[in-house]
Amino acid sequence: MAEKKRVKYFIVDAFAESAFKGNPAAVCFLDDDNERDDAWLQSLAAEFNLSETCFLTPIIGDFPRFRLRWFTPVAEVDLCGHATLASAHVLFSTGLIDSETVEFDTLSGALTAKHLKIDDEIELDFPVVPTFEVNYIDDDLSLFSKALNGAAIVDVKATKKDILVVLSSWEAVIDLKPRLDEISKCPCEGMMVTASASAGSTFDFCSRYFAPRFGINEDPVTGSAHCALAHYWSLKMNKCDFFAYQVLSLHRYT
């Protein structure tokens, strides 16, 4: 049996202007000569041990189109913002495609990335993730409170897979010392914690995202979470354009 071709990959710090900041993702390229099974893809993601490792496979057609899959160190996920941005950056910046637009075929449907040459920026077209009411029992609400170390909870919403918890203030989100072991017990894949910005702030809201069950204690920047956060805050603030801030603390866990 012929040896399979080596997999070419890039490590990209997304949502950052310099190295070693933002949210890192591994962008790996597959084709017919080096297609691998799911177990191999998951093993590679575990070895990279980044919040996301993604795999691009070209789809033959009239315009640039790729199959895109995302893996945390422990599981495949349906949607990931920063790894999609990282993939688009690699394609545009290395000249691998001769186009200012690329389409990704994903578990969340077709996603489009556009290269805006004037500002050298990338625009992503992502789906809205609706948030909705859930009638949690008292035990669930007690678990949420315990997971957030007794922080005052103002509101709780859900998506199909995540929980969105609203705290009383921007400062409460920043100073939060979550209990990751308790978050792992909550009935969700990940937990968004958010609050509106203080009066006079240039931001509209802030957030943090925890998914210890998926090998991500805290994600530095979570594009997919903002698909739900934008929906929630649009209903609260009656607007559609937001300037959001995601907090990251590496030393506030209990």
Side-chain angles (χ1 to χ4, degrees):
M1 179 182 294
E3 183 179 353
K4 288 189 176 181
K5 188 168 68 175
R6 292 184 179 183
V7 173
K8 185 175 184 179
Y9 72 90
F10 297 79
I11 303 296
V12 179
D13 291 322
F15 297 113
E17 295 180 348
S18 59
F20 314 119
K21 295 182 180 180
N23 201 356
V27 180
C28 306
F29 286 86
L30 305 175
D31 56 34
D32 291 340
D33 294 328
N34 65 359
E35 191 69 42
R36 310 299 174 101
D37 62 29
D38 288 2
W40 189 93
L41 301 181
Q42 186 61 71
S43 295
L44 185 60
E47 182 160 302
F48 276 123
N49 200 32
L50 298 174
S51 58
E52 298 289 344
T53 296
C54 63
F55 299 92
L56 287 165
T57 306
I59 299 173
I60 303 302
D62 296 331
F63 60 92
R65 189 164 170 248
F66 292 79
R67 184 184 185 200
L68 175 60
R69 299 175 69 183
W70 309 281
F71 289 77
T72 76
V74 299
E76 185 173 11
V77 297
D78 291 342
L79 184 63
C80 177
H82 83 276
T84 305
L85 179 62
S87 299
H89 169 75
V90 170
L91 293 169
F92 293 137
S93 65
T94 61
L96 289 172
I97 60 173
D98 184 21
S99 173
E100 302 305 322
T101 303
V102 61
E103 184 176 284
F104 300 112
D105 182 19
T106 78
L107 290 177
S108 292
L111 308 178
T112 302
K114 295 181 180 180
H115 183 210
L116 308 179
K117 275 193 167 181
I118 295 177
D119 298 313
D120 195 26
E121 295 179 345
I122 295 173
E123 178 182 276
L124 300 180
D125 184 8
F126 264 44
V128 171
V129 175
T131 58
F132 50 85
E133 299 276 357
V134 176
N135 294 321
Y136 292 108
I137 62 175
D138 289 343
D139 286 348
D140 287 332
L141 296 175
S142 177
L143 182 57
F144 298 156
S145 179
K146 189 175 181 181
L148 299 181
N149 219 6
I153 295 175
V154 174
D155 195 9
V156 178
K157 292 290 189 292
T159 69
K160 289 175 62 177
K161 296 187 176 183
D162 289 341
I163 299 296
L164 187 155
V165 180
V166 183
L167 300 187
S168 57
S169 69
W170 175 287
E171 292 76 19
V173 174
I174 292 176
D175 294 335
L176 177 66
K177 299 177 182 178
R179 300 179 63 177
L180 297 177
D181 57 334
E182 297 297 333
I183 291 180
S184 297
K185 300 175 185 177
C186 293
C188 59
E189 291 186 359
M191 179 178 287
M192 295 169 268
V193 182
T194 185
S196 60
S198 304
S201 173
T202 57
F203 296 100
D204 294 296
F205 62 86
C206 67
S207 66
R208 294 171 71 179
Y209 185 79
F210 309 96
R213 288 171 58 184
F214 273 67
I216 306 169
N217 286 343
E218 180 168 8
D219 203 26
V221 190
T222 317
S224 58
H226 283 79
C227 296
L229 290 163
H231 178 260
Y232 176 84
W233 287 115
S234 69
L235 298 176
K236 294 294 182 181
M237 298 181 180
N238 194 30
K239 58 187 290 187
C240 295
D241 294 325
F242 296 100
F243 191 31
Y245 179 73
Q246 184 158 346
V247 185
L248 172 66
S249 172
L250 300 178
H251 307 289
R252 292 198 177 104
Y253 306 135
T254 59

